[in-house]
Each structure stands twice: as structure tokens, then as C-alpha cells.
Amino acid sequence: MAPSGPTPGPSVTLDDDALRAAFASLDLAQQSGHGDMDPATFRRAAHAVADLMADYLEHVEDFPVLPDVEPGELRGRFPAAPPEDPEPLGDLLGDYRALVEPNITHWQHPAFFAYFASSGSAPGILGEMLMATLVGNAMLWRTSPVATELEEVTIGWLRQGLGLPEAFDGFFTDTASTSSLIGLAGARQAVAGMDASADGLAGRPALRIYASAEAHSSIEKAAMTLGIGRAGTRRIPVDAEYRMDVAALGAAIREDRAAGHVPCAIVATIGTTGPTSVDPTPAIADVAEYEGLWLHVDAAYAGATALLPERRDPFAGWERADSIVVNPHKWLFTPLDASLFLTRRPQVVRAAFSLVPEYLRTLDREGAVHDFNEYTPQLGRRFRALKMWMLVRYFGLEGMRARLREHIELARQFAGWVDAEPDAERLAPVPFSTVCFRWRPRRHAGHEDEPAVREELDRLNTAVLEAVNREGRVFLSHTRLRDRMTLRLAIGSVRTEPRHVALAWERIRAHAVRLDGERAG
Ligand SMILES: *Cc1c(COP(=O)(O)O)cnc(C)c1O
């Protein structure tokens, strides 16, 4: 299906005949009833797939960022029953092209400004292909020696790049959600006088975790998973710049202790998901130290910028954390998934998850190497270090830094356009590459807090967001800051260029002026 709307459909670069011929030749190999595809067919198929991939990346910009589909519409285009008989590979790849490719939300699109970008750079994609080929399950050292040791090496590279001391050890997980779960499981395990992994929590006083009102939902999900619950997660209020109020944190801890609860961990966020605010980590670290609590730092998005020596101020104090998460799959151009988990207390984390049945014991080398599954809830682990190794080598730290600096500069420019526009206003500082703002026609200036104006601005900005996203040339998302509908533009795709950011502002302005004109009558 060709995408509809004002954006032109994807141009077919492998011309249809060449495509059909390439796919048809794949049909020649007869499938036998046993074993895998024969190597010669695999080679041809892999070349055809490589063409599909390169074609997609070359022309991803021609798709609307959001596919023009209604919920449930796609299911009906696929057979409800599985095929009984083998199908020709060419048919499969043709269907991929026709049914899958146009109907994805194009995370690789250079005008993807919603949520946080999660783009896959070419070296990362190549790494994924090789990972899939080797399988390389890094559950034990023995099950993939190079996967385990390359993970140790690349973790060390990233740790150094981020400016963190050697005391931090770590590994890769799938997501920040898992990394924070692991960090908080370490915190739970570290609580004096109990062994949560051995005994569970039954009959124990309630544990408490502290995170700011702007902390990511994954912290509460971790609490839900760890038996601490949402009720055990205290959301600490934030100041005018959305940073955790440390006096309120101290008061909450004292109140909980007085009530007989057991404080367990504080989560400081460097780069919150809505306004990308930075909690005062040094003061929070003082509280954690004084109270004897585990400090977990969630820098899933913004952590990448610690690679920039001139922009380390927001990271002051994070070296005092017990555990830290940074997501390479957010702002380090790594195809989903890769989250970096670092901890000063790997033995505590290991105590939280280690369980070695006889069939997993490595009889001859116990203790000499990392068996990473002992530190995580999962047993099987992907060889993520391979793509990280390729990606870091391909870009070099300097190449990554150059891209991060450009994104930060583009966000600064965009914020400047918002600030210079009398009919718009910025709703949060821009410490990284995310701008929170809204359209606020000048006739409403000074009346923003009147209920009728509030509602009008919420409705107007909701309409602007819908119109911009429906058009499909750029994709933005939103949040609510101080109960105001807030548009949010986050820059971080490896493919974004200045013209895409300019296009975003142009489309937002055009729709906002039109919609406000219609509303004002
Ligand atoms: C995106 C985000 C997460 C969750 O990331 P996943 O890898 O999708 O689990 C956690 N914390 C912060 C601050 C985030 O921005």
C-alpha cells in the first residue's frame, strides 16, 4: 500500500522488475523436509535482504513518519491460519516489502522527534546481523567466551568514555527498565538484616523507594515487580525546574522510618523523560550516604552526553551512585536493544539473582570469569557487545561526540525560535536536546492561569499535535507539565539534519497559526 496524505509515497529503487527477478531467483532452491536453507540460497537471499535494507534506509524519509493505518486494520491483511506447506522465500520478502515496511512507525526517519529517538546506525545494524548469525548466547562464559569478554571490554570503553571511575563494573541488558529493576533488586538485597532473594518479603516491614515526581514509570514498575509495590514508591515533589526537592526527600525518609517502614533506595534522574530535568545528584548522594541507602541513577536518555567532557556538570555526583543506567539504544545510535548497567556493588547484585543449578555449573573455572546470567533475571543473553564494539570503533568516541554536540546545538536553535515567537512559549529549560513548549497566542499572555484560557490552550495544542502528526512529515509527542498540555521535540536520531528541525518548526507554526485562526474566528 502506498502511503497516503501530502507526503509522496516511497520511491521504489530496486525497480520492480529487478526486485521480482531477485526474489524469483530465490525460489529456485527446492526446500527439503529437513535442515536449514542451503548455504547458496542463503547467500542469495542475504544479498536480496541487504538490498531491501539499504533501500529502506536510503528512502525512509519518503514515508510519512507515522503510517496511515487504523487500529486492527493490518491484522486482516495477513492470513489468520499458518501455512501448511513451505512458501517461496521471494513471496515472503515481497510481502515484507508490501505489508511490513510501509506500516511501521519509522523510528529511522530523520524527522522522528517523539518520545526519545531510538535510531539504529549502519554499523549497529551490521553488528545485529552478525549477532543473529552467531547466535552467541552470553549466559555463561563457556557458552560464548568472546561474547563475555568483549562485553567486559566494551563496558570498560563506555565507562571510560562517560568519565566514571574503575570501581564501576557492569553489563548490557535489553532496556533501562530491566537495568533499573536490577539496580533496585541490588538495593533490596543490600537492606541490612534481610535476604530478599532467599526469604522473600513476607512478614517483613514495608520497603520504600524514593524517586522524583518526574522519574520514569519504569522505577514504579520495578517496585511492582520486586514486591515493594507502587505504594512503596514515594514520588518526591519537584521544584520550579522539575528537579527533586531534597528537603522533601529527607522529610519523606524520616516520616517513613517513624512509621516503621524500611527505606531502601533513592533514584536520582539525570534527564527526566518529560522535561529532561536534572535532579541535584550531589545533595541526593549526601542523603543516601547519611541514611545508608542505595543510590540508583537513571540517565537512560541523557547519559550519553557524559561523553562530552565540556558537558559533565549535570553528572556531578553520579560517580557516587551504587548503580547507573545509560541507554545506548536511545542517544548512542544503537539499534534496539542495548542498555548499559553499571554498579559499584556487583557482588550484591549477584546475590540478588545468582542461582546456579548443577546443569549450569562450569566445573573447571568457577570464579575466574563472569557468568553474566548470575547478575540478571534472564538466563539467555544476547551478544550485544558485538554491535557496541562495531559501533564504537566505527564512529570513535569523537564521532559520537560530534553527533551529540550537533543535536544539542539543533535543540538550542529550536528553543531560540520558540523564545523569539510571540505566540509560543517554552515550558522547561533545555539542558540536553529536548524542547518542551506550547503555542500560546499573544492575546492570552498574562492570562494563562485563567481556567478558560488553560482549557483553550490545552485544546489548541492538542489540535496542533494531531495535525502535525497526521500530516506525517515530522513526528512529535507531548507531556503534561504543571498540568499544561506540552509539546515536546526530542532530537537524537543519527539521521537528523538541520533541515528536519527547521521543517518541524515550520509545520508546527503553519498548523498552529491556521488552527488558532479558525478557533479565534
Ligand atoms: C526511556 C527511559 C526509560 C525506559 O527505557 P527503556 O529502555 O525503554 O526501558 C527509563 N528512564 C528514563 C529516564 C527514560 O527516559
Side-chain angles (χ1 to χ4, degrees):
M1 186 202 73
S4 58
T7 314
S11 29
V12 177
T13 49
L14 277 179
D15 65 80
D16 277 347
D17 286 344
L19 192 68
R20 241 176 267 118
F23 289 169
S25 71
L26 301 175
D27 300 346
L28 295 176
Q30 286 298 320
Q31 298 181 60
S32 60
H34 46 85
D36 198 6
M37 186 185 291
D38 69 90
T41 307
F42 176 76
R43 188 180 303 277
R44 285 199 304 277
H47 283 293
V49 168
D51 280 337
L52 277 176
M53 293 163 69
D55 221 26
Y56 178 72
L57 292 179
E58 192 176 348
H59 294 281
V60 62
E61 201 171 333
D62 298 335
F63 287 96
V65 193
L66 284 172
D68 181 19
V69 289
E70 293 302 317
E73 179 188 329
L74 296 170
R75 224 177 288 143
R77 294 202 218 151
F78 296 86
E84 285 293 340
D85 295 316
E87 294 197 55
L89 196 55
D91 290 4
L92 245 134
L93 294 178
D95 283 352
Y96 163 81
R97 178 106 178 196
L99 295 173
V100 177
E101 207 172 73
N103 293 316
I104 198 103
T105 293
H106 298 278
W107 284 82
Q108 294 281 44
H109 198 295
F112 188 108
F113 298 120
Y115 315 111
F116 286 125
S118 183
S119 61
S121 60
I125 295 170
L126 297 173
E128 282 277 351
M129 291 161 71
L130 296 173
M131 277 164 74
T133 308
L134 294 176
V135 182
N137 186 338
M139 60 189 208
L140 304 172
W141 176 85
R142 160 154 290 168
T143 58
S144 282
V146 72
T148 295
E149 295 190 25
L150 195 55
E151 188 158 345
E152 293 167 344
V153 169
T154 48
I155 290 285
W157 285 3
L158 290 173
R159 176 190 61 70
Q160 292 168 56
L162 297 171
L164 284 163
E166 247 177 90
F168 283 93
D169 201 351
F171 45 84
F172 294 113
T173 74
D174 53 356
T175 57
S177 303
T178 299
S179 294
S180 287
L181 172 71
I182 292 170
L184 293 172
R188 191 183 67 164
Q189 195 62 30
V191 171
M194 59 184 279
D195 180 348
S197 66
D199 304 328
L201 300 179
R204 297 282 173 178
L207 299 179
R208 285 285 186 268
I209 288 174
Y210 307 86
S212 95
E214 294 293 339
H216 191 264
S217 55
S218 57
I219 302 304
E220 256 172 293
K221 278 204 184 184
M224 288 156 73
T225 310
L226 291 168
I228 295 168
R230 291 211 294 280
T233 312
R234 294 211 42 179
R235 294 291 202 149
I236 307 300
V238 293
D239 68 12
E241 295 197 348
Y242 307 101
R243 300 170 297 202
M244 187 191 286
D245 175 343
V246 181
L249 169 69
I253 294 171
R254 283 190 297 277
E255 189 181 293
D256 281 342
R257 288 209 199 276
H261 304 321
V262 177
C264 161
I266 308 173
V267 179
T269 309
I270 300 179
T272 58
T273 310
T276 68
S277 53
V278 177
D279 284 338
T281 312
I284 293 172
D286 287 344
V287 174
E289 194 174 301
Y290 177 79
E291 297 282 355
L293 304 183
W294 185 284
L295 175 60
H296 177 67
V297 169
D298 180 357
Y301 151 70
T305 63
L307 288 178
L308 305 175
E310 76 278 14
R311 299 192 68 95
R312 292 250 170 89
D313 286 357
F315 299 91
W318 79 330
E319 73 286 349
R320 295 168 64 189
D322 295 284
S323 54
I324 296 179
V325 50
V326 174
N327 267 9
H329 76 219
K330 265 192 181 145
W331 202 2
L332 280 183
F333 327 124
T334 309
L336 195 73
D337 55 12
S339 176
L340 168 65
F341 175 78
L342 292 172
T343 180
R344 286 178 172 276
R345 302 171 75 182
Q347 291 319 317
V348 178
V349 172
R350 187 163 176 267
F353 288 111
S354 179
L355 187 66
V356 185
E358 187 57 36
Y359 47 80
L360 291 178
R361 281 184 60 206
T362 309
L363 297 175
D364 49 344
R365 298 169 204 275
E366 235 150 54
V369 286
H370 276 119
D371 287 330
F372 277 124
N373 82 84
E374 288 187 68
Y375 299 79
T376 66
Q378 316 88 333
L379 173 60
R381 300 180 65 256
R382 307 180 69 224
F383 186 2
R384 298 185 182 89
L386 182 62
K387 67 180 166 183
M388 294 310 305
W389 176 68
M390 291 184 62
L391 194 142
V392 176
R393 288 185 64 186
Y394 177 81
F395 289 115
L397 291 179
E398 268 308 317
M400 292 180 162
R401 290 188 188 114
R403 288 162 176 83
L404 294 168
R405 287 187 183 114
E406 182 172 341
H407 294 165
I408 292 167
E409 172 56 21
L410 289 172
R412 200 190 58 77
Q413 282 175 16
F414 187 93
W417 299 333
V418 173
D419 292 346
E421 169 57 63
D423 291 326
E425 67 177 347
R426 198 141 57 75
L427 297 178
V430 182
F432 305 106
S433 67
T434 301
V435 185
C436 292
F437 63 102
R438 67 175 172 177
W439 202 256
R440 194 270 351 253
R442 67 195 88 173
R443 67 179 182 282
H444 295 312
H447 305 280
E448 290 91 344
D449 290 329
E450 293 170 15
V453 174
R454 252 176 190 278
E455 273 181 35
E456 168 58 18
L457 292 177
D458 278 4
R459 271 198 300 267
L460 173 62
N461 283 282
T462 304
V464 171
L465 182 69
E466 277 173 11
V468 168
N469 288 343
R470 199 172 331 107
E471 184 180 58
R473 298 180 68 191
V474 303
F475 178 29
L476 306 182
S477 60
H478 77 282
T479 187
R480 278 195 94 73
L481 295 180
R482 285 202 203 89
D483 203 25
R484 293 167 300 189
M485 167 71 187
T486 303
L487 305 180
R488 202 173 148 288
L489 174 122
I491 299 169
S493 165
V494 70
R495 290 183 184 76
T496 298
E497 297 169 27
R499 65 191 169 90
H500 301 110
V501 181
L503 176 69
W505 181 236
E506 193 237 297
R507 298 321 300 150
I508 292 162
R509 264 194 110 258
H511 286 291
V513 167
R514 176 180 59 79
L515 288 162
D516 183 50
E518 286 169 13
R519 301 180 78 84

